[in-house]
Amino acid sequence: MRPRDCERTWEGDALREGRLGSKEADSFERHRRTCSACAASLVRDERLRALGRQLPEVQPAPLAVRRVRARLLRDATVGVEAARFRSWRWLAATAAVLGVLGVGAGVRWSLGRSMPAAAVVASAAPSTQGPFSGAVAAGRGAVWSQTREEYLEHVELREGMIRVHVRPQGPGERFLIVMPDGELEVRGTTFEVAVAHGATSSVIVDEGTVELRVRGSSPQRLGAGSAWTRAPSREAPEHQPAETPALPREAARAPVEAARASTSVGAHLDDSAAYVDAMQLFRDGRYDGAAATFRAFAAAHPGAAVGEDASFLEAVALARAGRTDAAGFAAERHLESFPRSFRRKEASLLVARAASRRGDCERARAVLAPWSASGNDSEIHESLRACAAGSSGE
Amino acid sequence: MTRTDPELIRGIAEGDLVCLGDLYDRYADDVWRAVRRTLGDSADVEDVVHTTFMNLPRIAPSYDGRAECAGWLYGIAVRHALRHGRGASRFRRMLQTLAQVVTARAGSDPERRASHHEDAAIFERALAGLSEKKRAIFVLLELEGLSSEEAAKALEIPAATVRTRLLHARRELHAALERATREDKP
């Protein structure tokens, strides 16, 4: 039978947590020896703790931990907060229901909050979200600004690289990236765009579709997994970009879509198959296809054990395809997603090569700084060669 | 050189993603365990762990600077878990899922039932039957070792509320264990 409660039983916890003074502690110790209610209560509570210690150890699967890590760093990079998006959608749905019920004033208030008449963010901010529909994460030294007026949002990029995540646009909304020599229009996507020396140097699309309009070229659509880079042209230093679709549309999309189709059947079974496909393309020297397939694989399986390899090999494949800028951006992505990557040095070399090629010697030297002090390293010299040549010419 | 918790949190407040990754590597397992024991439903645990760390850049400036941030992280994670599980349907589904898992685990293995782990299985089931708020308190204080003051600070509720919930959680667990023991007797 359960003993009657004692009014001093609570002191058992206080004693355990050290909340009793020495006199009170001594007093309770004496009391518990003679109080059957307190003694029984302490025994019962200790039994619960002992049973708690016997619970099966809760350890997350290593792959799940890595999956969340990759998702966390990816979302933190672009300033996207999944929960916030979910609650935003929930609020939007609520607003729609209220609208149907005729609560016009409430809807107007909601719209007024989410779509201010005008908003501007200067390039000093490393990333944005706030009232904007696009979240911008800027690379080092990027010069950009973000503006929203009613339903039209602009991001003006004057120099450097930005990564942009745009939520799906509502009816009447437009989202434009304005570069010195053109513009990009998007409907809801994640992509990177870089400007160097006053001209667009590359556009890499992760998700969705963007429409690229560059001066002197006809407009073109870039889908997920494809990229556009400006060909280096010594004859045309006046920033007239030569259009070079980095991935021929069919060549680029086929492997991406193949990889996605396979993952929809069964992620676990197809993990290795998609990766093997990518490796085979790589070994065959079909580097464009290999890069796109590695990228699709990494995007579809962020927690895969070989995700780090896929992310790095995408950069290597792009480099071997002669797409130095795209390789540099892929390597930047790899370093952000896997800061402790075993291929940190190799990825940094790719970043440095791309940076020095577009004249960003400061970035090139910075990314190689951890290894520059270690003495003569031919790879580092090679990666900084363009910068060295430039400085000797000055 | 290994950075301390306050250094990592300062870095996170300044937007350093490396610090965020390092803090995640240091505490992901612990946070995962606390959330898993509070929430039960494994599919939602990932979301809550993700949200917990994803919110750190926003709330890092409010960190009080204590040397170890585990308790602080538990509090954030459990608050998210409680908020996450607030919907009635989600709560019912979670309880059903957990009850099924525990029943299956206990029922599908006769040796396990016969072993000295039987009490633990009953206890696990009883724990799953507590309300989320009481379970969160029991997990933080009795399983993760926080004091009532620490749990109160972490969950942003009065310490008296923490102690009251702990008292009720224990009573319900004792009652469930006694009931199970009576039912097992022929």
Side-chain angles (χ1 to χ4, degrees):
Chain A
M1 198 179 87
R2 189 171 145 178
R4 240 163 30 93
D5 286 340
C6 169
E7 62 182 16
R8 295 190 65 180
T9 305
W10 66 271
E11 292 181 52
D13 279 337
L15 178 68
R16 215 160 48 87
E17 291 183 357
R19 284 188 279 120
L20 294 182
S22 58
K23 281 184 182 170
E24 289 87 356
D26 289 344
S27 167
F28 182 71
E29 288 288 6
R30 282 196 301 276
H31 169 77
R32 67 186 278 190
R33 279 185 224 124
T34 56
C35 175
S36 59
C38 285
S41 172
L42 292 174
V43 167
R44 283 201 312 269
D45 292 347
E46 183 49 42
R47 182 180 174 226
L48 288 182
R49 280 189 286 276
L51 287 170
R53 286 193 289 272
Q54 285 180 37
L55 285 175
E57 188 63 26
V58 177
Q59 283 291 342
L63 274 182
V65 174
R66 289 193 64 169
R67 184 167 58 238
V68 172
R69 190 185 202 282
R71 184 177 151 204
L72 171 70
L73 293 179
R74 184 192 63 208
D75 290 353
T77 303
V78 296
V80 175
E81 187 185 325
R84 193 181 299 173
F85 272 116
R86 273 198 296 274
S87 51
W88 192 95
R89 281 202 298 265
W90 186 85
L91 282 173
T94 307
V97 170
L98 288 174
V100 170
L101 293 174
V103 190
V107 173
R108 196 172 301 168
W109 179 83
S110 170
L111 287 172
R113 275 174 66 86
S114 62
M115 294 184 185
V120 180
V121 162
S123 58
S127 65
T128 62
Q129 180 111 359
F132 300 109
S133 65
V136 179
R140 202 165 308 205
V143 181
W144 61 283
S145 63
Q146 188 169 9
T147 314
R148 184 172 183 99
E149 290 176 19
E150 294 289 346
Y151 294 95
L152 177 61
E153 191 163 328
H154 278 106
V155 172
E156 186 179 355
L157 176 63
R158 286 170 219 135
E159 188 69 25
M161 189 265 283
I162 56 173
R163 182 176 171 79
V164 187
H165 175 88
V166 183
R167 66 159 166 76
Q169 299 290 283
E173 282 188 288
R174 290 186 73 196
F175 191 100
L176 289 168
I177 308 282
V178 181
M179 296 88 73
D181 60 340
E183 64 179 19
L184 276 166
E185 176 145 18
V186 304
R187 303 297 308 168
T189 176
T190 303
F191 62 97
E192 287 172 7
V193 56
V195 167
H197 307 301
T200 310
S201 58
S202 70
V203 178
I204 302 171
V205 184
D206 283 348
E207 297 166 7
T209 305
V210 306
E211 183 163 318
L212 174 65
R213 298 187 280 264
V214 177
R215 204 162 46 226
S217 305
S218 53
Q220 60 178 300
R221 277 175 173 262
L222 299 172
S226 59
W228 177 92
T229 52
R230 185 167 62 100
S233 171
R234 291 183 183 183
E235 290 74 27
E238 295 301 315
H239 316 311
Q240 292 176 357
E243 182 188 332
T244 53
L247 293 175
R249 219 175 255 183
E250 274 62 46
R253 282 187 186 163
V256 173
E257 286 174 2
R260 285 191 176 157
S262 67
T263 56
S264 67
V265 177
H268 294 297
L269 290 175
D270 291 332
D271 264 14
S272 54
Y275 187 76
V276 168
D277 287 348
M279 284 304 295
Q280 193 55 51
L281 289 166
F282 188 84
R283 285 194 201 97
D284 292 345
R286 294 153 66 189
Y287 296 120
D288 277 337
T293 312
F294 278 129
R295 178 161 207 164
F297 172 85
H301 309 286
V306 290
E308 189 177 316
D309 293 346
S311 157
F312 174 69
L313 287 170
E314 180 204 348
V316 175
L318 288 167
R320 292 195 184 178
R323 295 165 55 193
T324 310
D325 277 346
F329 291 129
E332 291 258 23
R333 244 187 344 261
H334 175 77
L335 290 171
E336 281 172 5
S337 301
F338 304 97
R340 293 175 176 176
S341 165
F342 289 115
R343 278 69 171 252
R344 212 149 61 88
K345 184 180 174 186
E346 290 87 335
S348 298
L349 286 165
L350 291 173
V351 172
R353 273 177 208 152
S356 63
R357 184 170 173 269
R358 62 175 184 265
D360 188 356
C361 294
E362 191 183 346
R363 174 65 183 143
R365 290 193 186 99
V367 75
L368 290 178
W371 297 280
S372 296
S374 62
N376 267 344
D377 187 321
S378 58
E379 286 181 314
I380 289 178
H381 285 302
E382 175 63 26
S383 299
L384 295 174
R385 197 175 51 177
C387 288
S391 56
S392 67
E394 290 160 8
Chain B
M1 196 183 74
T2 308
R3 280 182 280 192
T4 63
D5 288 0
E7 285 170 344
L8 288 179
I9 291 172
R10 207 174 307 126
I12 291 169
E14 288 163 5
D16 186 339
L17 290 185
V18 175
C19 291
L20 184 61
D22 285 353
L23 196 78
Y24 177 85
D25 291 341
R26 193 173 292 176
Y27 287 112
D29 283 5
D30 294 336
V31 170
W32 208 289
R33 187 181 58 234
V35 174
R36 172 71 178 79
R37 284 187 168 151
T38 304
L39 204 57
D41 183 10
S42 61
D44 292 338
V45 171
E46 271 194 34
D47 276 348
V48 172
V49 172
H50 172 264
T51 308
T52 300
F53 284 93
M54 192 66 206
N55 274 313
L56 290 186
R58 188 171 54 79
I59 57 180
S62 68
Y63 183 60
D64 62 6
R66 73 186 95 163
E68 206 191 70
C69 71
W72 183 67
L73 283 176
Y74 290 155
I76 298 166
V78 169
R79 282 205 305 275
H80 281 304
L82 293 177
R83 209 173 299 149
H84 192 83
R86 207 158 276 166
S89 59
R90 182 189 293 276
F91 183 42
R92 277 197 300 274
R93 195 181 67 226
M94 183 271 293
L95 286 183
Q96 282 165 1
T97 308
L98 192 61
Q100 282 162 7
V101 169
V102 173
T103 308
R105 203 184 281 169
S108 62
D109 186 353
E111 286 182 21
R112 187 171 188 275
R113 274 190 69 82
S115 77
H116 64 280
H117 290 304
E118 188 177 356
D119 276 355
I122 294 168
F123 173 75
E124 195 178 0
R125 202 159 48 226
L127 186 62
L130 290 180
S131 73
E132 282 184 315
K133 285 179 178 173
K134 289 178 201 158
R135 189 173 343 119
I137 294 294
F138 190 85
V139 166
L140 288 181
L141 271 77
E142 301 289 53
L143 305 185
E144 298 299 340
L146 267 63
S147 70
S148 52
E149 297 287 349
E150 287 171 330
K153 202 169 175 186
L155 296 177
E156 296 175 351
I157 56 176
T161 307
V162 170
R163 289 172 200 139
T164 307
R165 284 184 192 166
L166 179 64
L167 179 73
H168 288 295
R170 280 173 177 162
R171 279 188 183 159
E172 287 179 31
L173 289 172
H174 290 313
L177 288 171
E178 281 176 15
R179 213 167 33 243
T181 309
R182 276 200 306 274
E183 285 168 5
D184 274 3
K185 282 182 182 170

